[in-house]
Amino acid sequence: MSKSGVSVSPECISKYNELKLGKSFKYIIYKLSDDYKEIVVEDASSDPDWETFQNKLMNAKAGHKGKEGKGPRYAVYDFQYELDGGEGTRNKIVFISWSPDEGTLVFPRMTYASSKESLKNALNGIAAEVQANRDDEIEYATILKDISKGKR
C-alpha cells in the first residue's frame, strides 16, 4: 500500500506480466479508481502505434468533487529501438508517470504522485522510468533519447 493509502489491483500485476513475459501487449495504461482507493488497469493494447498511446495519455481525464481536469496516468510501454551503428535492436520496458502541469486538479495530481512508488515496486523488471509533465516530454523521440543512453 502506498503513502496515500492506495492499493494496487492484482490485475495490474497480471497484465504487466503478460506484457513482460508473454509479449501480449505493447502498453498498459493505469489509473486510480474513481474513489481514489486503488490503482487499476484502464487500457492494455497490442497496438504498436506510439501516437495512439500518446493521445490516450494526453486526453485522459480525472475528476474530484464534481470538477474535471486533465488526468494523470501511469503507463508501461514495451519500447523497441535500434542501436546506432547497426548494433542491433533493444527492448526496454519503460514506466511512464504522466501528470500534466496545466489543467490538472490538485487532489488527483497529489494522489498520483504519492501512489506512484507503490505501483512501480509491484512491477518487477522495469528498465527505465520517465516522468512527463508536458506534452513534449511524451514525444517518441524524447523518450528514445532518454532510454537509449544506457545502450543495454
Side-chain angles (χ1 to χ4, degrees):
M1 188 167 297
S2 70
K3 295 175 191 174
S4 64
V6 172
S7 63
V8 177
S9 161
E11 183 189 22
C12 293
I13 299 163
S14 64
K15 290 283 188 201
Y16 173 76
N17 287 333
E18 288 178 48
L19 177 144
K20 182 175 87 168
L21 303 173
K23 300 292 182 185
S24 304
F25 303 111
K26 188 67 174 170
Y27 63 83
I28 303 166
I29 298 174
Y30 303 97
K31 71 173 201 157
L32 287 170
S33 58
D34 292 341
D35 63 2
Y36 291 90
K37 301 254 185 248
E38 185 176 43
I39 299 169
V40 297
V41 173
E42 180 176 50
D43 188 19
S45 177
S46 58
D47 183 354
D49 183 57
W50 179 264
E51 285 184 20
T52 300
F53 167 73
Q54 181 183 25
N55 286 332
K56 287 182 180 187
L57 290 180
M58 291 172 39
N59 293 319
K61 301 288 183 203
H64 182 65
K65 294 188 177 180
K67 295 181 181 176
E68 185 176 82
K70 288 185 177 182
R73 291 293 186 270
Y74 312 114
V76 288
Y77 194 94
D78 188 1
F79 212 95
Q80 183 175 340
Y81 61 98
E82 299 293 322
L83 292 174
D84 292 336
E87 294 181 37
T89 302
R90 295 288 186 266
N91 280 69
K92 284 189 179 180
I93 297 175
V94 180
F95 182 89
I96 300 169
S97 179
W98 168 244
S99 188
D101 281 337
E102 309 241 342
T104 306
L105 301 173
V106 173
F107 182 79
R109 187 176 173 95
M110 298 309 289
T111 307
Y112 271 84
S114 62
S115 304
K116 177 178 84 169
E117 290 301 317
S118 183
L119 176 61
K120 205 173 101 178
N121 291 340
L123 306 177
N124 295 317
I126 299 288
E129 180 181 352
V130 173
Q131 171 68 48
N133 303 99
R134 297 185 324 264
D135 293 357
D136 64 319
E137 293 176 331
I138 56 169
E139 292 290 336
Y140 183 88
T142 303
I143 293 181
L144 176 60
K145 183 180 173 188
D146 285 348
I147 68 167
S148 63
K149 290 177 186 169
K151 293 187 183 178
R152 288 198 223 178

